[in-house]
Each structure stands twice: as structure tokens, then as C-alpha cells.
Amino acid sequence: MSTSRAGPAAAAALTLCACASHREPHGPLPVRNQHPAQLTVLHLPPAATAPPPAGELRARLDLAYSSLFLSGTSSTASYAMDGEYLRAAVALSIGLGGGVAAGLELPAAHSGGGFLDSFLIDYHA
């Protein structure tokens, strides 16, 4: 393909890709804030826009892995936190009918020194 036709062909391909979407809404996306200060407060994750029909069971697996580096200094103290945090959860919900659902989430968490330090140092360098 010549250079003169490559630009319009790429633009057409990107336009067609932008038109692709789900036929049904699939939101909202349940996103967790992995910041250590936010992990100490309870919050309700976003719920599906429509509960499952009566008797239907829905299952979801969530994984979140974060590299954490926090530091601060005052006139009397300083702190540094460098680690990584993994949270995995299995969530189940069942439709009870009449637009009502019951749900359960079983989370597990692990924190440690992690393995991303060298990758992040190289990336920022």
C-alpha cells in the first residue's frame, strides 16, 4: 500500500473500531482505590444497574495489584512506605425477584515488598 493511501486507510480502520460496543450496558465498573488511607474506610462498591432476575446467580472475580510508595517529612518526623498490595475477591449475587438481589464478597489480601521495584525504577529512569 502506498504512503498516500495508508493515512486514510488507518483513519477508516480506527473509525470502524470506535463503533464497536456491547449491545447491552455493562456498568458501572466496580473500581477500588488501593491507596493505604482509603483501605481503612468502608465503602460500598457500585452495584449493577439492574439486579439479576429471580433465581439467577452471578459470579465475579476481582484482582487488584498496586505498587505503593509513600513518603513524608515534617520538622519532627519522617516516614517512607515502599511495598506492593494484592487484593483478590470472589463476589456472588443472586436475584430474589422484584428488583432485589442479595450478594456476598469474600476478599483475600496480601502485602509485601513485591517484585515491581526494578521495573518502576527503570521506567522512570
Side-chain angles (χ1 to χ4, degrees), residues 33-121:
N33 186 335
Q34 295 283 92
H35 189 279
Q38 292 297 317
L39 295 173
T40 62
V41 296
L42 294 174
H43 68 87
L44 294 173
T49 54
E56 181 180 306
L57 179 67
R58 291 185 183 167
R60 187 181 76 235
L61 173 64
D62 294 327
L63 291 171
Y65 195 83
S66 300
S67 178
L68 307 171
F69 181 77
L70 301 171
S71 64
T73 306
S74 71
S75 60
T76 59
S78 66
Y79 71 92
M81 181 174 123
D82 182 12
E84 294 177 16
Y85 177 70
L86 168 68
R87 183 183 188 275
V90 174
L92 301 171
S93 63
I94 187 166
L96 301 177
V100 177
L104 172 72
E105 182 178 76
L106 182 61
H110 172 73
S111 61
F115 64 92
L116 291 175
D117 285 345
S118 62
F119 168 77
L120 293 173
I121 289 168

